[in-house]
């Protein structure tokens, strides 16, 4: 029975104010301490500032493969939200646990650690890994660092369970998300002599036209069995800015856009098409008039999609553990796609509902947390002899 211990741990975790903008080091050292107490071999990786860290921990035999339980330690801000209770103090009422991060996703982390504490580590027949990451909410930055490190070390678990709130449903797919800012620098001039300047706004317009052309191509590439809504990769132009007046050639322009790929090959196609278009068409034309003209494409955030696969051992295992008779796909992005890219069979399954995430009075139903604990207990039976 791991629920009471899970609640204790959760109360501690909620008290760490790990909003993505702030450091998560205290929470990581708290988790590392608890995992080391189980005899875990821990690897801590940090971001460039040294104020954020991931911990990757392994218990059980020192051999390839194994099962990974993964969650992010950061939470979204509470500023400008109207909370009834202190968001960083766990409060229970009517079978619900209130606090920032209860469902997204410290509840799962607490359950995972409590589960680890119940195991007779010497009896594990395969490695059990834990990954607790930073900066998921701002683009899965910590998981990217972690996955790069694992790849370098040649550590590839067989199965990853990412405990984002799915109400314990088995989620085997989500779209990716790629956000990009493209900046155009041309040459200012009088509007009456357009050939003497380089109009950044006009080149931005042509860039956008190419993106809209791609949008049609992407629609036709939707996988026949796609369960996403809509089933294809989408493109959105989010913001256009540039220029100063009607009668001045615009020297600067900026386009903020994003895409939500249903398959990695779509994202590759869009990036390659745009890069070719910039390099072979737009930029040479601009620089023929003014050699300092430039176009830069800055990726602001990229979250890999989780592609539903015919063969997915994680899906099969967790469906069995939860008794689910179906699986689904969701609209929100998670770290699962990054693990899939590493070669891990990954799914998303965790307690609580995404409907309560990111909101004031975020809560997690105790019943949901209990379901998660019971799923992990069944996993424990599978992992020990
Ligand atoms: Zn989350």
């Amino acid at each position: 029975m791991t629920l009471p211990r899970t609640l204790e741990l959760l109360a501690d975790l909620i008290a760490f104010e790990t909003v993505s903008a702030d450091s998560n080091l205290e929470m990581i050292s708290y988790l590392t301490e608890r995992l080391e107490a189980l005899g875990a071999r821990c690897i801590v990786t940090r971001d460039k500032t040294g104020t954020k860290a991931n911990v990757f921990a392994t218990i059980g035999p020192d051999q390839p493969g194994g099962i990974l339980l993964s969650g992010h330690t950061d939470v979204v801000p509470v500023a400008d939200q109207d909370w009834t209770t202190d968001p960083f103090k766990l409060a229970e009422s009517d079978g619900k646990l209130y606090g920032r991060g209860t469902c997204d996703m410290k509840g799962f982390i607490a359950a995972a650690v409590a589960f680890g504490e119940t195991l007779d580590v010497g009896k594990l027949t395969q490695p059990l890994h834990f990954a607790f990451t930073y900066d998921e909410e701002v683009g899965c930055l910590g998981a990217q660092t972690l996955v790069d490190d694992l790849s370098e070390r040649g550590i590839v678990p067989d199965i990853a369970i990412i405990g984002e709130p799915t109400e314990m449903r088995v989620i085997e797919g989500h779209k990716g998300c790629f956000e990009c800012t493209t900046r155009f620098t041309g040459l200012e001039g009088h509007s009456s002599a357009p050939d003497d300047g380089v109009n950044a706004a006009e080149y931005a317009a042509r860039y956008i036209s190419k993106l809209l052309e791609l949008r049609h191509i992407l629609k036709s590439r939707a996988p026949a069995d796609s369960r996403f809504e809509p089933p294809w990769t989408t493109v959105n132009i989010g913001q256009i800015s540039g220029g100063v007046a009607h009668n001045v050639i615009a020297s600067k322009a900026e386009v903020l856009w994003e895409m939500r790929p249903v398959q990695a090959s779509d994202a590759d196609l869009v990036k390659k098409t745009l890069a070719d278009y910039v390099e072979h068409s737009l930029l040479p034309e601009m620089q023929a008039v003014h050699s300092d003209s430039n176009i830069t494409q800055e990726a602001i955030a990229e979250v890999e999609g989780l592609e539903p696969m015919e063969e997915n051992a994680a899906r099969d295992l967790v469906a069995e553990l939860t008794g689910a008779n179906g699986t689904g796909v969701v609209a929100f992005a998670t770290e699962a796609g990054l693990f899939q890219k590493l070669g891990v069979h990954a799914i998303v399954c965790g307690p609580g509902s995404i409907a309560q995430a990111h909101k004031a009075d975020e809560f997690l139903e105790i019943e949901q947390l209990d379901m998660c604990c019971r799923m992990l207990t069944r996993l424990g039976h599978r992992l020990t002899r």
Side-chain angles (χ1 to χ4, degrees), residues 55-224:
V55 60
F56 181 83
T58 304
I59 55 175
D62 191 6
Q63 67 187 48
I67 310 262
L68 167 67
L69 303 177
S70 177
H72 61 82
T73 61
D74 60 320
V75 295
V76 295
V78 295
D80 302 323
Q81 290 187 340
D82 195 11
W83 280 73
T84 315
T85 59
D86 178 350
F88 297 107
K89 190 166 183 297
L90 188 68
E92 184 188 333
S93 154
D94 280 341
K96 292 176 182 142
L97 301 160
Y98 290 88
R100 170 55 84 226
T102 44
C103 82
D104 188 15
M105 57 181 288
K106 292 177 173 176
F108 179 79
I109 295 178
V113 175
F115 162 62
E117 292 177 350
T118 64
L119 293 170
D120 185 343
V121 174
K123 288 190 174 163
L124 282 169
T125 54
Q126 54 177 302
L128 178 64
H129 310 281
F130 302 84
F132 302 133
T133 60
Y134 64 85
D135 281 358
E136 188 271 348
E137 299 289 2
V138 289
C140 294
L141 307 180
Q144 182 68 63
T145 305
L146 178 80
V147 165
D148 289 347
D149 183 66
L150 293 181
S151 167
E152 238 165 70
R153 293 171 190 267
I155 300 175
V156 184
D158 296 322
I159 282 176
I161 301 170
I162 288 79
E164 291 277 0
T166 67
E167 298 173 277
M168 294 307 293
R169 289 184 306 132
V170 182
I171 299 302
E172 60 170 322
H174 61 69
K175 290 186 182 184
C177 181
F178 177 75
E179 293 181 344
C180 187
T181 297
T182 308
R183 298 185 178 91
F184 301 79
T185 309
L187 179 65
E188 208 168 52
H190 196 279
S191 59
S192 61
D195 292 345
D196 295 345
V198 176
N199 194 316
E202 291 176 10
Y203 282 94
R206 287 169 61 185
Y207 183 90
I208 291 170
S209 299
K210 181 59 81 179
L211 265 170
L212 298 182
E213 244 173 64
L214 279 163
R215 171 187 272 174
H216 285 287
I217 296 168
L218 292 168
K219 254 188 188 181
S220 69
R221 287 168 55 92

Side-chain angles (χ1 to χ4, degrees), residues 5 9-10 12-14 16 18 24-42 44 53-59 69-74 105-114 117 130-134:
R5 177 59 180 151
L9 289 167
L10 182 57
D12 287 350
L13 296 184
I14 295 299
F16 293 109
T18 52
N24 73 338
L25 294 183
E26 276 183 39
M27 178 168 166
I28 288 295
S29 60
Y30 172 94
L31 290 168
T32 306
E33 240 170 70
R34 257 132 212 91
L35 292 164
E36 278 175 344
L38 313 178
R41 306 177 285 284
C42 294
V44 173
N54 303 305
V55 60
F56 181 83
T58 304
I59 55 175
L69 303 177
S70 177
H72 61 82
T73 61
D74 60 320
M105 57 181 288
K106 292 177 173 176
F108 179 79
I109 295 178
V113 175
E117 292 177 350
F130 302 84
F132 302 133
T133 60
Y134 64 85

